[in-house]
Amino acid sequence: MKPFIKHALLAAFSFLSISGASAQVIARAEIPFDFSCQRQAMPRGEYTISILQEGFIQLSSKNGKSHAVSLFKPNVETGGSGAKLVFHRHGDRYFLTEVQTEDEFGMKLPISKAERQTTLNETRLHRSGIALITSR
């Protein structure tokens, strides 16, 4: 029953995000590689990052074809000035893990099941890293 409720809530928030319900745009970024945001595979391209409501962040592609919604926790350890997106890289896969705004408000996204599994697989090969993308 819990997975059903989780999927229903995700679908409800996805519907709200697609309809543009009072989202506050916090950044725009050109991401030069395919990546994952939670369960959603996202193609490279230009994205708008918005806060839907406290604790929820949305990524929307400029062409309107790709959307992702994720929970986030405020992150006080932002690690520098300026807006940026932080990705974990495992082999040729990238996972969005953090968003930082121009005013250095950090948002840490939870690690997805796909990233956990990829981490386990890639640890054996020692091909992990971090990628930073600044937003405009």
Side-chain angles (χ1 to χ4, degrees), residues 44-110:
R44 74 180 108 204
E46 191 171 330
Y47 285 86
T48 299
I49 299 100
S50 307
I51 295 179
L52 294 177
Q53 63 183 42
E54 189 172 331
F56 288 93
I57 193 167
Q58 171 186 315
L59 277 78
S60 300
S61 63
K62 183 177 180 179
N63 65 12
K65 293 183 179 180
S66 299
H67 300 276
V69 175
S70 176
L71 293 168
F72 74 85
K73 287 196 259 183
N75 184 15
V76 294
E77 299 174 17
T78 57
S81 62
K84 63 184 172 185
L85 303 178
V86 179
F87 295 83
H88 286 168
R89 180 180 62 85
H90 301 284
D92 62 349
R93 297 184 68 188
Y94 292 85
F95 299 88
L96 181 63
T97 59
E98 187 177 339
V99 175
Q100 181 177 312
T101 65
E102 285 290 332
D103 59 359
E104 298 183 35
F105 176 68
M107 293 161 275
K108 188 151 184 73
L109 283 62

